[in-house]
Each structure stands twice: as C-alpha cells, then as structure tokens.
Amino acid sequence: MQRERILAEHRRLLASLDRPEEVQSELLGTILDQNADTAFGREHGLGAVRTLADLRKAVPIRTHEALMPWIGRTMDGEPKVLTDDAPVAYFSSSGSTGREKHIPVTRAYMQQTFLPFYHAAFAPLLHTLPQALAGSDGVLNLWQDPSAPVARARNGQPHLGTSQLDYRQFGEDSAVGPGNAAPWSRIPDELADAGPWDRSYYKLRLAAEQDIRTVIGVNPAIISGLPYQLAQLWPRLVEDIRAGTLDGQPHTTPNPARADEIERYARTFGTVLPYHLWPRLSAILVWNSALASLYLPRVRETYGPGVQLFAAPIASCEGPAGVPVDRHPSGAPLYLPGCVYEFVPADGPISADSDTLLPTELEQDQDYHLVFTHVGGMYRCAVTDVVRVVGRVGRTPRIEYTGRNVVRSAAGETLTEAAALRALRAACEDTGAEIRNATYHLDAASNGAAGRYRVAVAFAGPPVPALAAALDSRLSEHCAGYLAGRRDGAIAPAEVVTVHPDAFHREWERTIRAGQRPPRVKDRVFLPAEDAWQRIVSARPDDSG
C-alpha cells in the first residue's frame, strides 16, 4: 500500500470531522447527481430531492432484504436500476436471517467510497509504527484472500466477501492489501481449490518461515483462533517445513533447522504460540469491541508482550461506518465522506417510517440503529448492527460496534445484545472473571417453569462460581424488563454453564471445515443455532477433546 495515499485519505477524513453538516449535504448532492436518473430514482422522485429532509419524505427506511426487488432486477440484466453504473460484483454476507445478501458493488462505490475508507483505516498503524506496512514480506494478512474460490450470483457475476475482492481491478495497484503481494504468500494453483480450513493452514505454513511484524485479522475470532490452530497443527507444520513441502507437495527449500526450532518450542511449552514463530511481531489490526473486548487482552499475550492492538474500521457488507483516526481501543468517528448517516434510538425497533437523528444530534453513551445512503445504491438502508456513541472527534460522534439488532425475551422483556454484553462485562469486572468467549441461550418457559437465560462461558483461568449471581444482578440493572420478570418470578436466575476452554474454538474450526471462510465466522452473543449451543455446552471443562 502507498504511504501517501493512506495519509491523504486520513487527512481528508480529519478535515471533515468539524463540519459534518456541510460534508453530509455535499455528499448527498453527489449521490443524487449520479443516481437520480435511475429506475429507483424515478420511482422515488429523487430528481426533486435536495436535502436529507426531502430524502426522508421520498424514501422509506429499508433493510437489504426490502431492497432485493431492485437488486434482483439488476441481476436480471436491467440497466440503471439502483445506480447509474452497473455492478461488477455483489458482496455477500450470511446476515442475521442466515440468507445470503447480495450487495451491489459498482465501480463508483469502490472508487469514491470503499477504497478511500479502506486506505484511511491504516493511518493510526502507519503513524505509530511507520515500518509496519513498509513491505509485504513482513505482513500476514489473515483477513484478505483474493485468490480464494468465488461463488457466483444468478447472473454469473462474482458473489463474494469484501475480503475476497481484488481491489486492483478498480485502477489502484496499491490497494492489493498488506501482505498479499508478498511472493511467499501465494498459495500454489494446484492447491487453489482447497477448503477454507486447509487454506488457513497454508497461510500459517507459508508465514512460519517469515519474519512477520504485522498481522491483519480484522475479525477477532481469527486472531483468537490462530493460537488454537497452532496447537492443533504444529506437527503438520513441522513436517512440511522439514521437507520443504506444502501439504505434502514440493514447495520450498527443506528447512530442518526451522522445523527443529518449532518442535523444541512445542516440547518445551506444550504448544506453539504466535510469539514463538514471530518474536519481532509488533502489531495486530482487529476489531476490539463487543465480545472481543473481553477476551482479546488475554489473546494478545500469546502474540508477544510488546504487541499492540490497532482497531480495525467499523463496517458491514452494506457499507462503511467508522474509521479509526487515533489509538482509541474500539471507537472510530463516522466516515462522513463516504455515507450519509441517519440514526434511530436502539431502545425500540426500527421501521420504515422511524424518525431519524443526524450525527450531530446523537447523545453520549446511547445505542443507535444505523441507517445509511451511499453512491452504491443503498438508499436509507438499515443494517443489522447497533452502534454506541463513546465520544466525539471534533463535532462528529465516535462510535463503536455494540452488537446486532437481535433481541431475546423470556417474559415480555426486551434484552438486546448490547445490554447482554454490558451486563456480562460488568459481571466479569465485579468478580474478576476472565473469559475466552461466551454466548447466551434462552430456555423458554414451559410446563410451569420460568424462562431462564443460560450463558456458556469458556474461562481463561479457573471458573468463577460467583459470576452467575453477578450476571443476574447486572442483567436486572441493564434491562428493566428482566428486573420485573425476576421480581414476579417469570424469569429464573441466570445460569453460567462452564465449558471446555476450547469449546468455542472447536465450534469455530467445525464451521470453517464445513466451508465457511474465516472472515465470516464471528462471535455470537445470542447463538442462533440450537445444535451449535448443544455442541458447545457438551464440551465440559474436563473433556480432553
């Protein structure tokens, strides 16, 4: 990546933060100039829209699913449906419903919104550690995999994750991504069709002989999972390095000395940790909010005592939300040059006609549903993420991701992911509990028994029996309906189920082996799949696996 491009986009973002109204108004004008004369634009009268107030009257709030009729017309070959320029691909995401999303990716969106956002996100890393991105050879990029097999939309165009798209096709060779241009990092063509679990091993195998200084993870489950992978796979790693092979195929010069060194670490410490392989590692780029904020401090220790965590940008497949500008651990100001943002308080549901707030109207320490409009054809699109205002940079809110727009109810209460997370965090602080991961499960009321929330917890140290009572108290504090349900006996006390330390990692591995790429396998506060819950809680602490 080009240093000057990163710094230029960083400066552009900083210049916007003291004048959010002006920047957002100019951006809306640009979007309308480019896309008013489209089928969607004509159907909604966008040619007459001049202000955000006009846009609110003309276009209802919609989810991606509600926009699918127009996206479907685009995939069927109709020109100029949502945007003036035709999509070149569709971003995918499983979404909260489990159905694959199809987010149109246009050249204008990539060049005007996504790539500037993407470059700006590396500025804090570059400012703090100027050599971290100086060359590709020292970067292990676990997030991007542009050579991975790609699915197709029904019209034959690529249907892929943001981590799979080769950004160079949009005229920017420097956008290849840190680490992806390193000659050592290329997976040979004969192994290109391997599944995601094997591909993740190949990345580790190829990096194990390199002097890695920076790891790009973005998804914290990847960063947490790497030490687990090393513990499982180090014998395979040693065998390949000793023979100069990759999955048994000739690939590099045999390196018995390196193989012996790694094997000594395993024999001495009982496993191989990232800092054994890369003692000069200094930086990890990763989301550090929500559940990850509870387990990353311990995970970071396995990468080395001097390793610094840098917050990754906040985004969904529908578009960008926030870009870090400093060393704040989890929050980032809104990316004002890229999207027109609106917000709905998250203490209630969001609907097509919800009243919305502007960035300057948001309140500190409050949660909001996020709605945005951008040049790629997302008009007043409500995403499933909920964000929290944790400060300001200039006159612009600094937000952090605080959970999905998913709620649970045992007895009429509305327990949001954000409230469940805050209760768990506070309970851990109350009791000194350190965890490797956790997830909630609701046992519905039945046969006269009250409903109950159970939380599967993989502890990072000894189990803490007091955590259950502390969690029950904190849930009552963070959710008024929970407190009422507990008082009248409609909700039973919260229960903590202590599971094997690797229970969540085993489920992570299982999901990837089943075909999901690692960037898509994320932590879940409320685990949606009953079978996954049963697998996690069946892994008892004394189970050797």
Side-chain angles (χ1 to χ4, degrees), residues 145-406:
D145 193 1
S147 66
V150 171
R152 298 283 167 178
R154 69 190 191 213
N155 64 351
Q157 288 185 299
H159 182 217
L160 71 182
T162 55
S163 59
Q164 290 178 281
L165 191 61
D166 187 345
Y167 304 147
R168 291 174 296 182
Q169 66 182 279
F170 301 100
E172 296 195 43
D173 288 344
S174 70
V176 63
N180 289 327
W184 63 261
S185 68
R186 179 175 175 78
I187 295 174
D189 292 341
E190 57 268 26
L191 298 176
D193 292 332
W197 181 256
D198 283 330
R199 290 184 69 87
S200 65
Y201 165 74
Y202 299 158
K203 285 195 173 190
L204 292 183
R205 157 66 184 98
L206 296 173
E209 293 185 85
Q210 307 301 318
D211 181 20
I212 300 299
R213 310 289 187 89
T214 303
V215 173
I216 307 296
V218 182
N219 180 353
I222 295 176
I223 297 301
S224 176
L226 190 147
Y228 168 79
Q229 282 182 292
L230 287 175
Q232 306 300 309
L233 300 174
W234 72 259
R236 182 180 175 188
L237 193 70
V238 166
E239 182 179 352
D240 267 338
I241 292 173
R242 190 182 307 282
T245 55
L246 182 61
D247 210 13
Q249 303 294 319
H251 186 70
T252 59
T253 302
N255 192 347
R258 179 60 165 163
D260 289 344
E261 180 183 27
I262 295 172
E263 190 165 22
R264 282 195 300 272
Y265 282 126
R267 301 303 181 196
T268 301
F269 298 99
T271 188
V272 176
L273 295 172
Y275 76 80
H276 295 147
L277 295 182
W278 308 303
R280 296 206 290 176
L281 185 68
S282 59
I284 299 173
L285 187 76
V286 63
W287 292 323
N288 190 19
S289 60
L291 272 170
S293 65
L294 298 180
Y295 65 71
L296 277 179
R298 272 295 191 101
V299 170
R300 185 191 64 80
E301 295 173 1
T302 68
Y303 285 81
V307 172
Q308 301 182 58
L309 300 182
F310 290 81
I314 303 167
S316 67
C317 64
E318 290 94 343
V323 175
V325 294
D326 51 29
R327 294 302 310 280
H328 191 283
S330 59
L334 294 169
Y335 186 61
L336 299 176
C339 294
V340 176
Y341 296 105
E342 301 173 69
F343 299 86
V344 176
D347 55 2
I350 186 170
S351 63
D353 58 355
S354 290
D355 292 332
T356 60
L357 301 171
L358 301 181
T360 53
E361 298 173 317
L362 304 189
E363 297 182 15
Q364 178 79 14
D365 298 327
Q366 296 299 309
D367 296 337
Y368 295 94
H369 301 291
L370 176 61
V371 177
F372 55 59
T373 299
H374 63 60
V375 74
M378 295 290 103
Y379 303 98
R380 305 199 75 208
C381 180
V383 300
T384 57
D385 297 338
V386 174
V387 298
R388 186 173 183 83
V389 177
V390 294
R392 277 178 169 71
V393 183
R395 298 182 57 244
T396 299
R398 187 196 296 270
I399 61 168
E400 72 173 21
Y401 170 76
T402 192
R404 297 173 303 150
N405 180 24
V406 178

